[in-house]
Amino acid sequence: MSFAKIYTRGLLGLHAPLIEVEVHVSQGLPSLTIVGLPEAAVRESKDRVRSAIINSGFQFPTKRLTINLAPADLPKDGSRLDLPIALGILIASGQISENVTDNLEFIGELALDGQLRPITGILSIAIACQQSGHQLILPEQNAQQASQLPNFEVFAAKHLKDVCDHLSNQQPIQQYQASHSAAPDQYKFDLADVKGQLRPRRALEIAAAGGHSLLFKGPPGTGKTLLASRLASILPPLDAQENLEVASIYSVSNTSHPFGQRPFRAPHHTALVGGGSHPKPGEITLAHLGVLFLDELPEFDRKVLEVLRQPLESKEIVISRASRQITFPANFQLIAAMNPCPCGYAFNQDIRCQCSADAIKRYQNRISGPLLDRIDLHLDVPPLQVHELQDTTPVENSQTVRERVIQAYKLQIQRQQCLNHALSPKQLEQFAPLDTQAQKIMEMAQQRLNLSARAYHRVLRVARSIADLSQHAEIQSQHLTEALSYRAQQS
C-alpha cells in the first residue's frame, strides 16, 4: 500500500480539532515533504521520525514521501504529531500490516531512539477523542491524566515499536488501568487561622455563598492577604464536570494543580489574560472556577486591570491574533486588597500618614471607577488590637463555614439554576423582589450613595446571598441594609 491515513488531534486554545495525517509514498528521488501549514516543531519532526523509525528496527523508505496534515487551513504546531506521522509512513510503505485505524487516534512526541515522550494538553485531546467515539493511544506518562476522563479507553505505550506491534496484532497494548486516588479536600489554609476580624470574615462568607467579588482595604498587617487566601477553603468542592474543566486548563498550560481543589491564583503585577503567538491560558483562566487574588491592587498596571472588566461580566476572555481567535473560560471570583495610600496609613488614628492629599488621590485613582463599580463588596479591614491577637478562644474553621455556603449554593441552584452573582436584571425582579420598606431603603441609598444601575443590581444580588445564608425565601430589610453597608465603604 502506498497511502495511509492516521487520525490525531491539534490544540487550539482548550479545543482539540481532529487532524488527518495523510501519507503518500511514490516513486522519485528520496525526499520528505510536509504540507498543511506545519510550523517549526512540525517541520522538524521529519528528522525525529526518521531516526525513531530506524532505531525501532524498521527501514525508512528511500522514496518520495508526501505528508498532508488536513485540514490544510489549520496551523499545526508542537511535537504531538510525531507518532501519527511515523505510523503513517510505516503503513504506507508496507512495513506494518494495514489495519483498521478508523476508531483509533494517536498522539505523542518521539525521541530519536523511538521512545514516546509526553505532550501538553492531553486532557483536552482525550475529551475531544471521547466525543468522537474513538480510542486513544498515547505516551505512558500522559496516561494517568487522560484516565481522569470517565468511561474512556486509554492505551499507553512506551515505544514506537509497542504501537506497531499493537497494530500488527503481535502484542496488543492492554487498556490502561488508572489508579484513582481520592480527590484532595484539604487546603493548606484554614479560616480558623484568622483572629478577630468578624466583619471581614462575614463578608468573605457572603462572597463565597453567592460567587461575589470582594475588595479589602486597610493598612498593612491587618490580615487582608490572610483572609483572601482562605476563600478557596470555604467554597463548595468541584463536581466531576468542573474538575475536568479545571484539569484541562492546567493540562494545556503545562502547570500542575491538585486535582479536585478549586484554583487559587495570586499573580504578581504582570499580564493576567494570557496570549503569545500560540495563545496560552493566563492567570484569569487558570483561576477558572476558583479565586483570583490581586494583592496590592493599585500596583498593577492600569491597562492590565481594565482588561478585567469584560471577563468579570462575560466570564470568558477572547484573545485575537492575526491567524486565529481563541476563547478561554474565565469564570473566576475576584478578591482584591489594597492600602488606602502609598505608605498605607491614611485615615489611621494610631500611625501618622506620610502622604499628601494629592498623593493619596493619585494612588486611589490608579483603579478606575468602572472597575470598582464591578466589585460587589467593599470592606475596610481595621488593625487588630493586642487583646484580639492574644485571644485563644476557638473560632469557626473552614469546614463549618463551608457547610453553610454549600446550603446556600443548593438553594440558588434549585431556585434559579445559577449562583446569585450571575442573576440578570430580569431574574432579579423574579427572585429578589423588595417589599415596600426595602424599596424605601433602596431609594434612600440611591440618593445618598449615588448608585449606578450596575451597582443597584449588585446590591440586590448580595442581599439575595445574605438572605440565602439565613435560609430566608424573601429579602428582608436587614439583608438589604447589610448589603448596602458593604457598598457604602466604596471610595
Side-chain angles (χ1 to χ4, degrees):
M1 181 178 183
S2 62
F3 177 81
K5 180 188 291 186
I6 302 292
Y7 295 108
T8 185
R9 294 278 166 180
L11 204 57
L12 198 61
L14 298 182
H15 303 288
L18 182 69
I19 293 177
E20 297 179 3
V21 179
E22 300 173 330
V23 180
H24 181 231
V25 179
S26 59
Q27 298 296 329
L29 294 175
S31 65
L32 192 156
T33 303
I34 301 179
V35 297
L37 286 185
E39 298 189 1
V42 181
R43 292 195 299 269
E44 292 172 354
S45 67
K46 61 178 70 174
D47 298 314
R48 292 191 299 271
V49 167
R50 179 184 286 106
S51 296
I53 287 176
I54 294 173
N55 290 323
S56 297
F58 298 99
Q59 296 292 323
F60 192 84
T62 55
K63 295 183 179 181
R64 179 181 176 85
L65 297 176
T66 303
I67 300 173
N68 179 44
L69 307 177
D73 59 346
L74 176 69
K76 321 299 188 304
D77 65 296
S79 56
R80 66 184 68 86
L81 302 183
D82 288 2
L83 176 60
I85 288 175
L87 293 174
I89 292 174
L90 291 174
I91 293 175
S93 59
Q95 297 186 65
I96 59 176
S97 61
E98 179 186 356
N99 206 343
V100 177
T101 58
D102 289 346
N103 65 335
L104 286 176
E105 294 185 17
F106 305 86
I107 204 85
E109 177 184 340
L110 286 174
L112 297 184
D113 62 354
Q115 295 284 339
L116 283 174
R117 289 176 172 164
I119 61 166
T120 60
I122 192 64
L123 198 52
S124 295
I125 292 170
I127 291 172
C129 187
Q130 184 188 50
Q131 291 172 348
S132 298
H134 292 171
Q135 299 173 343
L136 182 63
I137 296 181
L138 44 61
E140 189 177 49
Q141 295 95 319
N142 288 130
Q144 178 62 33
Q145 190 177 28
S147 65
Q148 295 174 8
L149 200 60
N151 304 318
F152 180 58
E153 295 184 7
V154 174
F155 298 88
K158 295 182 180 179
H159 199 279
L160 172 62
K161 187 70 165 60
D162 298 338
V163 182
C164 295
D165 291 342
H166 175 78
L167 294 178
S168 301
N169 291 324
Q170 296 181 16
Q171 188 174 353
I173 300 174
Q174 298 301 315
Q175 183 177 343
Y176 182 80
Q177 299 298 325
S179 56
H180 292 289
S181 57
D185 191 33
Q186 295 295 323
Y187 289 85
K188 60 180 179 179
F189 300 125
D190 195 282
L191 202 57
D193 302 331
V194 180
K195 291 182 177 292
Q197 303 295 15
L198 297 182
R199 184 166 167 79
R201 285 173 61 105
R202 169 68 172 169
L204 206 65
E205 182 177 343
I206 294 170
H212 304 291
S213 50
L214 171 63
L215 172 63
F216 286 133
K217 184 187 294 185
T222 57
K224 302 185 295 295
T225 302
L226 185 74
L227 284 159
S229 62
R230 271 68 185 166
L231 176 58
S233 69
I234 65 174
L235 292 173
L238 296 169
D239 61 30
Q241 181 60 37
E242 291 173 334
N243 265 321
L244 288 177
E245 286 185 44
V246 172
S248 63
I249 290 171
Y250 280 82
S251 175
V252 168
S253 63
N254 199 24
T255 307
S256 62
H257 176 72
F259 187 75
Q261 288 191 0
R262 287 189 180 271
F264 179 86
R265 305 293 299 183
H268 195 251
H269 311 141
T270 53
L272 301 175
V273 299
S277 56
H278 304 293
K280 294 293 182 69
E283 290 292 341
I284 63 175
T285 298
L286 294 174
H288 179 62
L289 298 176
V291 179
L292 177 67
F293 174 49
L294 302 183
D295 201 4
E296 302 296 343
L297 188 64
E299 299 301 330
F300 284 81
D301 186 270
R302 180 162 178 155
K303 293 181 180 179
V304 173
L305 292 179
E306 291 305 294
V307 175
L308 292 175
R309 288 161 55 178
Q310 184 260 340
L312 281 171
E313 300 287 348
S314 65
K315 306 304 179 184
E316 63 182 18
I317 181 70
V318 179
I319 299 176
S320 297
R321 293 294 180 264
S323 59
R324 70 196 77 176
Q325 189 177 73
I326 307 294
T327 300
F328 288 113
N331 185 11
F332 58 90
Q333 192 165 349
L334 175 64
I335 304 296
M338 62 176 289
N339 296 327
C341 68
C343 79
Y345 296 104
F347 319 115
N348 191 305
Q349 297 177 352
D350 300 324
I351 302 177
R352 184 177 179 181
C353 176
Q354 305 296 321
C355 306
S356 65
D358 287 341
I360 295 175
K361 186 176 181 180
R362 284 196 301 271
Y363 183 78
Q364 296 188 351
N365 284 344
R366 293 180 185 177
I367 308 169
S368 69
L371 178 59
L372 286 174
D373 202 41
R374 285 172 166 81
I375 298 178
D376 299 321
L377 297 96
H378 300 250
L379 192 70
D380 289 331
V381 183
L384 286 172
Q385 302 300 317
V386 174
H387 68 86
E388 293 178 292
L389 293 171
Q390 295 175 343
D391 188 5
T392 58
T393 305
V395 296
E396 287 186 323
N397 59 18
S398 292
Q399 182 177 355
T400 303
V401 178
R402 183 166 65 243
E403 289 174 358
R404 292 198 297 267
V405 171
I406 290 174
Q407 291 301 317
Y409 258 57
K410 291 179 179 178
L411 278 177
Q412 296 166 55
I413 298 301
Q414 291 173 1
R415 181 180 60 234
Q416 66 220 17
Q417 289 75 52
C418 68
L419 295 183
N420 289 331
H421 76 91
L423 287 172
S424 66
K426 187 173 183 179
Q427 287 176 312
L428 284 172
E429 294 177 0
Q430 180 180 358
F431 300 117
L434 299 179
D435 58 25
T436 304
Q437 184 179 359
Q439 289 178 3
K440 291 180 179 179
I441 294 174
M442 202 63 178
E443 290 174 4
M444 294 173 59
Q446 173 74 29
Q447 297 174 358
R448 183 175 178 180
L449 302 177
N450 194 25
L451 298 176
S452 67
R454 180 188 293 113
Y456 171 85
H457 290 137
R458 289 184 181 273
V459 168
L460 290 181
R461 295 184 184 110
V462 172
R464 180 67 269 176
S465 295
I466 295 172
D468 289 337
L469 280 171
S470 303
Q471 302 291 306
H472 282 92
E474 304 293 336
I475 296 177
Q476 300 179 356
S477 299
Q478 64 267 27
H479 304 144
L480 182 60
T481 302
E482 184 179 0
L484 285 167
S485 71
Y486 298 117
R487 203 76 194 184
Q489 298 185 41
Q490 178 181 352
S491 59

